[in-house]
Amino acid sequence: MTKITFPNTNNEAIMMSAVINLPPAFDEARTYPAIVVSHPGGGVKEQTAGAYAARLAQFGYVTIAYDASYQGESGGSPRQLENPYIRTEDISAVIDYLTTLSYVDNERIAAMGVCAGAGYTANAAINDRRIKAVGTVSMVNIGQMFRNGWDNDVKDADAVAYIAAGSEARTSDASGHEIATIPMAPLREEDAPNEELRQAWEYYHTPRAQCATAPGYATARSLTQLTTYDAFHKAEAFLTQPLLMVAGSDAGSRWMSEDLLSRAASSDKQLHIVNGANHMDLYDGEREMSEALSVLVPFFQTHLGD
């Protein structure tokens, strides 16, 4: 595992921070398949994305987990901007970097992500044909989550207040006030509406997985993009790559993986359900991660080789 930095080809003023993992017995004279792993909204590379990337590398892949622009140790201001279009483009920027490495086979690049990072990965695959296979874990289409709620019980039109709040935050930010923020997961245990989201608080704000570079909030101005974003836009036509999704049977977010399963144009698509798991269990639970990898690894081997 090596920490690296490189300029973001979408905005070369932003330096991306990432961790690259090389397979066992790595030989720089060879070429290897590669997998880009994207972190959840509010997360960083040192958490679940980095854990999946490190374990996948053991099966013969060059893997890279990175901090999104404006987040973690990557550059960009305002800090904690969660613009979904930029987050999607970050994935292609990381692939741009991978294609410059002599030991990466440009025809064998895949992408996977966790939570919102999985939704962004699906959207990147719709836009970027260099992605040959797509894996997701506890996928969240972050636009659906913001406008329809965790349990898909809010109508689109009832979410207009979020767009208004984001618009007002932009005015406030432009006036020089302190940057307005919103929580990406409960910031306090007592704010969690259910056990699953209490575990989200626990993951980000206790020794379970807290990280100094992951404060757990986003800029409120992000609501103007997040609320109207659809990570699966035009999946019916353009998401043709092989697709494997992993979700917990008890995950409130499961419906978003089911939605993409029904929408994706791919003729090779499947949803693997981990029985007894909720959304957060797949971030760091040993049993749950091992089961996820038990299907992800052969999926990538089938479509990328090893």
Side-chain angles (χ1 to χ4, degrees), residues 211-222:
C211 187
T213 56
Y217 60 80
T219 57
R221 66 183 290 130
S222 301

Side-chain angles (χ1 to χ4, degrees), residues 25-275:
F26 173 72
D27 179 355
E28 194 166 355
R30 289 183 53 195
T31 59
Y32 295 86
I35 304 172
V36 179
V37 186
S38 298
H39 64 70
V44 290
K45 63 185 180 301
E46 288 81 7
Q47 296 169 324
T48 182
Y52 274 97
R55 291 177 69 164
L56 283 167
Q58 296 303 306
F59 295 90
Y61 302 102
V62 173
T63 65
I64 186 166
Y66 64 97
D67 288 333
S69 298
Y70 305 95
Q71 299 176 27
E73 295 178 315
S74 290
S77 181
R79 301 305 298 166
Q80 299 308 122
L81 182 72
E82 182 80 13
N83 182 313
Y85 303 97
I86 293 173
R87 287 229 35 196
T88 295
E89 280 295 311
D90 279 347
I91 297 168
S92 289
V94 174
I95 294 172
D96 291 345
Y97 170 73
L98 286 175
T99 65
T100 70
L101 302 177
S102 62
Y103 52 83
V104 168
D105 184 341
N106 294 349
E107 298 303 315
R108 294 194 292 162
I109 295 175
M112 70 158 285
V114 183
C115 189
Y120 296 137
T121 295
N123 195 237
I126 291 168
N127 301 328
D128 194 332
R129 306 310 300 180
R130 296 174 298 177
I131 298 173
K132 304 304 183 184
V134 178
T136 74
V137 173
S138 289
M139 181 164 56
V140 162
N141 179 342
I142 200 165
Q144 288 180 322
M145 186 188 76
F146 271 92
R147 64 180 169 268
N148 302 129
W150 186 251
D151 297 311
N152 195 24
D153 56 0
V154 180
K155 295 179 180 178
D156 284 0
D158 292 336
V160 70
Y162 292 118
I163 304 173
S167 302
E168 291 168 5
R170 292 183 70 120
T171 297
S172 176
D173 294 350
S175 298
H177 298 138
E178 183 177 355
I179 299 294
T181 63
I182 55 171
M184 291 299 284
L187 294 176
R188 302 180 304 169
E189 185 174 15
E190 56 267 32
D191 294 335
N194 54 48
E195 171 58 21
E196 187 170 38
L197 294 178
R198 189 204 67 78
Q199 288 188 32
W201 162 81
E202 180 183 79
Y203 185 86
Y204 287 110
H205 300 292
T206 77
R208 176 174 170 181
Q210 67 183 17
C211 187
T213 56
Y217 60 80
T219 57
R221 66 183 290 130
S222 301
L223 286 168
T224 59
Q225 288 92 24
L226 289 169
T227 310
T228 58
Y229 176 74
D230 179 13
F232 308 155
H233 180 62
K234 292 298 181 181
E236 299 87 348
F238 302 127
L239 184 50
T240 60
Q241 297 97 318
L243 171 65
L244 172 63
M245 296 170 286
V246 180
S249 63
D250 302 336
S253 58
R254 173 178 167 176
W255 64 275
M256 289 177 265
S257 292
E258 293 170 340
D259 183 42
L260 184 59
L261 184 68
S262 68
R263 290 170 63 178
S266 175
S267 60
D268 180 357
K269 57 183 178 180
Q270 55 185 306
L271 172 58
H272 178 85
I273 299 297
V274 179
N275 287 327

